[in-house]
Amino acid sequence: MKSADFVEARRRLEAKPQSTGEKLTTLSQAVEKVRDGDHIAIGGCLFSRSPWAALLEVLRQQRRGLTLSRNLMCYEGELFMAAKAVDGLMTSWFDIALPWGLSIKLREEVEGGRIRFEEWSHLGLGLRYRGGAMGVPFLPTLTMLGSDLMDVTDTKTMECPFTGETLCLVPSLFPEVALIHVHRADRFGNCQIDGYPHMDTDIAKAAATVIVTAEEIIDEEEVRNRPDRTVIPGLVVDAVVEAPYGSFPHECYGLYEADFAHFEAYTDAVKARGTGAIDDYLDRYVYGVSSHKEYLALFGEEALARQRRCAEELLGPR
């Protein structure tokens, strides 16, 4: 949404029912809340705690005209472009990580005029989510000042009334949907995250509809006993789904490590056969299965157990 939509977006958030009722549902039912043309903000960061199960289900349900935003976008952006599901992408980085280079698919789509690509600094995009969470039209910052991003984004500048220095103003972002994966949640949608929380709390509070997948559904009494662990309150959540390995082949801190060999195989295929290899990936891992359980079966129990052992080794003794 553009910054000019602030009043409408604020009214939308204020009108959202603050339900404390049960939110537990299935993955397919949760994703039915996503509509064609929605702006989806993606939780996690790069290949860390990505809401992968939810993202693939959006593709299976064949949504169209979407906009995706994420602080560091992984190859989910390539899958959505290949599926012709998106019109726009907003991020500060696009692709898996430095060893795999920049996205060939993104270049094709942007240079072909088929995708609207909007680049922000990492902090700039984070402040856009923070502004949406606060319900204000913009936030002042020093990020991006002096960069070319000032010329290609919706930023404005102002003179600081206290110091006289120039400030960059970033417009708040109010996504229609937030997709977030967490370590634990109760049936009411109260969410706990281990490790770095990324921008997930702000994304959840800024979005009109919040869909959460969780590695484990825990008893609400456990949440009450440790209220300090709740980083996303259930009152902003619209649907919660139990999805073990819901980030795989991405990592979920302390539970399983990212499958870098899988990333390598994916990028090798794209380099060898062009972006048509992404269509093959979609056929196998998205359209070729009907559920998250079937998707995980493509990797096999041993692969999942191996990545869990890797995470335990990195974490060390507790």
Side-chain angles (χ1 to χ4, degrees):
M1 297 183 69
K2 297 293 185 182
S3 54
D5 296 323
F6 161 70
V7 174
E8 176 188 344
R10 178 64 186 257
R11 287 173 178 165
R12 184 181 68 190
L13 285 178
E14 290 173 345
K16 179 177 177 176
Q18 302 294 304
S19 171
T20 57
E22 185 168 333
K23 317 289 177 63
L24 192 60
T25 186
T26 66
L27 185 59
S28 61
Q29 289 173 331
V31 170
E32 285 174 2
K33 297 180 181 294
V34 179
R35 298 286 180 259
D36 289 348
D38 277 353
H39 179 137
I40 300 177
I42 304 170
C45 181
L46 201 57
F47 52 78
S48 173
R49 206 167 33 75
S50 303
W52 206 245
L55 286 165
L56 298 192
E57 182 61 26
V58 172
L59 290 173
R60 286 189 201 100
Q61 295 192 15
Q62 299 185 2
R63 297 295 181 267
R64 294 292 182 264
L66 303 171
T67 296
L68 301 183
S69 66
R70 195 180 193 197
N71 47 34
L72 302 180
M73 192 168 290
C74 200
Y75 67 100
E76 70 274 1
E78 294 190 335
L79 300 184
F80 273 75
M81 285 188 287
K84 297 179 172 55
V86 290
D87 292 339
L89 299 169
M90 183 186 302
T91 186
S92 61
W93 163 267
F94 189 105
D95 217 314
I96 303 176
L98 288 173
W100 292 280
L102 297 177
S103 171
I104 301 170
K105 182 64 175 177
L106 180 64
R107 178 181 290 274
E108 283 187 2
E109 295 296 308
V110 172
E111 291 182 351
R114 294 180 291 274
I115 290 292
R116 182 183 68 259
F117 183 69
E118 194 169 329
E119 184 178 5
W120 293 77
S121 73
H122 186 71
L123 176 59
L125 186 54
L127 289 174
R128 295 198 69 187
Y129 292 136
R130 175 63 58 87
M134 294 173 64
V136 298
F138 65 87
L139 286 176
T141 180
L142 299 179
T143 187
M144 299 189 295
L145 285 173
S147 76
D148 291 341
L149 293 177
M150 297 296 295
D151 299 324
V152 295
T153 59
D154 291 333
T155 56
K156 296 185 182 299
T157 59
M158 68 169 287
E159 180 181 297
C160 174
F162 300 102
T163 67
E165 297 293 325
T166 299
L167 298 176
C168 171
L169 309 182
V170 294
S172 298
L173 195 55
F174 298 89
E176 277 82 21
V177 177
L179 298 182
I180 296 170
H181 186 68
V182 302
H183 288 75
R184 295 169 298 279
D186 66 14
R187 60 195 175 102
F188 302 112
N190 296 295
C191 302
Q192 297 179 350
I193 294 173
D194 295 339
Y196 196 67
H198 304 303
M199 300 175 182
D200 292 16
T201 300
D202 287 336
I203 289 172
K205 292 179 179 178
T209 298
V210 180
I211 299 170
V212 172
T213 53
E215 290 288 326
E216 179 186 9
I217 299 299
I218 59 176
D219 189 86
E220 54 268 26
E221 192 62 33
E222 187 176 342
V223 173
R224 294 192 187 101
N225 289 337
R226 292 293 304 276
D228 57 304
R229 297 297 304 277
T230 298
V231 295
I232 298 174
L235 59 88
V236 305
V237 174
D238 296 275
V240 62
V241 179
E242 187 170 36
Y245 291 96
S247 285
F248 200 80
H250 297 202
E251 64 91 22
C252 190
Y253 172 79
L255 296 182
Y256 48 88
E257 181 56 37
D259 190 341
F260 298 115
H262 185 80
F263 297 162
E264 193 78 42
Y266 171 84
T267 54
D268 284 350
V270 173
K271 290 173 183 176
R273 296 187 285 115
T275 54
I278 303 173
D279 296 322
D280 296 337
Y281 189 93
L282 286 168
D283 289 340
R284 176 169 172 77
Y285 291 99
V286 180
Y287 307 131
V289 296
S290 60
S291 67
H292 182 57
K293 184 177 181 180
E294 289 184 15
Y295 163 79
L296 292 177
L298 294 176
F299 295 90
E301 290 291 339
E302 175 51 37
L304 300 178
R306 181 183 64 245
Q307 298 312 114
R308 181 176 285 274
R309 289 194 298 271
C310 288
E312 291 171 351
E313 291 170 3
L314 287 172
L315 201 59
R318 300 193 184 188

